[in-house]
Amino acid sequence: ILNVEQSPQSLHVQEGDSTNFTCSFPSSNFYALHWYRWETAKSPEALFVMTLNGDEKKKGRISATLNTKEGYSYLYIKGSQPEDSATYLCAWDIGGNKLVFGAGTILRVKS
Amino acid sequence: EADIYQTPRYLVIGTGKKITLECSQTMGHDKMYWYQQDPGMELHLIHYSYGVNSTEKGDLSSESTVSRIRTEHFPLTLESARPSHTSQYLCASSLGRTLANYGYTFGSGTRLTVV
């Protein structure tokens, strides 16, 4: 069974708070792990593609880590801003140019 | 400016009608995909194409069909819409041998409601 789990399902934080989400995926047949940000009424936007165990990637206030042996990735947002409000999707790259997506974590940042 | 275009953005249509959801990309990507998402659920792959005249069904069974006559165009058709087809449909494309280099470029989606 190909299953990607994301937690929490939704998160409400105050402006300035730091937060993190989890993505769990099967640890076998791993090619890559993708993170996307999906703002309302827009297209999902690629944040990170992570391929190696222990990978850490950073883009501004957002960073991600990867553990392929235990099958999880964390996404961190430091000092959340209202413009960070979006759904954050992770996707397990199973090869063959196909992604298996989680249901996403909805983040709402209140000012 | 979007490199992958989906039309319409929103569609409300009656049961039994034939509909075509359009997806076009200007990047010359060989690989294109259709995903379906019900509210609060995962994106599920319903169709994909690795190039002209190549189409495959995805992991989620769908009554829709697709065609790929031109590289840039990957329309999805429902011959007879039903309320169970109410969902969001996302089109995507990718470049390169593996997604590990580039990932997907997504369109902005079509939200379909069948009444």
Side-chain angles (χ1 to χ4, degrees):
Chain A
I1 295 175
L2 306 179
N3 204 25
V4 176
E5 303 280 348
Q6 288 190 249
S7 62
Q9 188 174 15
S10 65
L11 199 52
H12 290 77
V13 301
Q14 289 293 129
E15 183 176 356
D17 287 350
S18 293
T19 187
N20 66 85
F21 331 129
T22 304
C23 173
S24 301
F25 53 89
S27 54
S28 59
N29 296 325
F30 178 84
Y31 283 81
L33 194 284
H34 300 240
W35 282 100
Y36 290 86
R37 175 170 59 202
W38 193 2
E39 296 178 65
T40 303
K42 294 187 177 179
S43 311
E45 169 201 359
L47 285 174
F48 305 114
V49 180
M50 310 178 78
T51 55
L52 298 175
N53 185 43
D55 248 357
E56 288 189 34
K57 296 221 171 176
K58 189 173 180 182
K59 189 176 189 177
R61 292 178 292 99
I62 305 177
S63 60
T65 61
L66 178 67
N67 183 323
T68 59
K69 292 182 191 246
E70 296 181 42
Y72 65 84
S73 176
Y74 294 138
L75 187 79
Y76 301 91
I77 302 179
K78 186 177 176 182
S80 301
Q81 300 297 308
E83 59 264 31
D84 295 328
S85 295
T87 298
Y88 290 82
L89 297 171
C90 76
W92 176 41
D93 185 341
I94 60 172
N97 287 281
K98 288 188 277 185
L99 299 180
V100 177
F101 283 86
T105 292
I106 300 170
L107 174 67
R108 294 290 174 257
V109 183
K110 293 175 72 172
S111 57
Chain B
E1 190 171 326
D3 293 311
I4 183 165
Y5 305 89
Q6 285 189 249
T7 57
R9 286 294 304 275
Y10 303 94
L11 179 61
V12 181
I13 201 160
T15 297
K17 299 288 186 184
K18 178 180 178 178
I19 55 172
T20 296
L21 308 185
E22 300 287 351
C23 177
S24 296
Q25 48 98 1
T26 58
M27 298 169 285
H29 288 176
D30 285 329
K31 301 173 185 64
M32 296 188 74
Y33 312 81
W34 276 103
Y35 279 83
Q36 182 177 344
Q37 187 192 34
D38 294 330
M41 303 298 288
E42 300 87 349
L43 289 164
H44 286 287
L45 181 66
I46 52 173
H47 297 285
Y48 61 99
S49 167
Y50 287 166
V52 171
N53 295 325
S54 150
T55 61
E56 301 285 344
K57 288 189 179 294
D59 303 317
L60 181 69
S61 175
S62 174
E63 292 166 348
S64 58
T65 59
V66 292
S67 62
R68 190 89 184 275
I69 298 171
R70 303 196 315 266
T71 298
E72 62 270 22
H73 195 212
F74 191 41
L76 180 145
T77 298
L78 277 163
E79 290 293 332
S80 178
R82 294 210 298 269
S84 60
H85 296 140
T86 294
S87 192
Q88 175 154 242
Y89 295 84
L90 267 178
C91 181
S93 69
S94 69
L95 173 69
R97 288 188 178 180
T98 72
L99 295 173
N101 293 325
Y102 300 102
Y104 284 170
T105 299
F106 279 100
S108 51
T110 293
R111 196 172 291 278
L112 173 66
T113 303
V114 184
V115 296

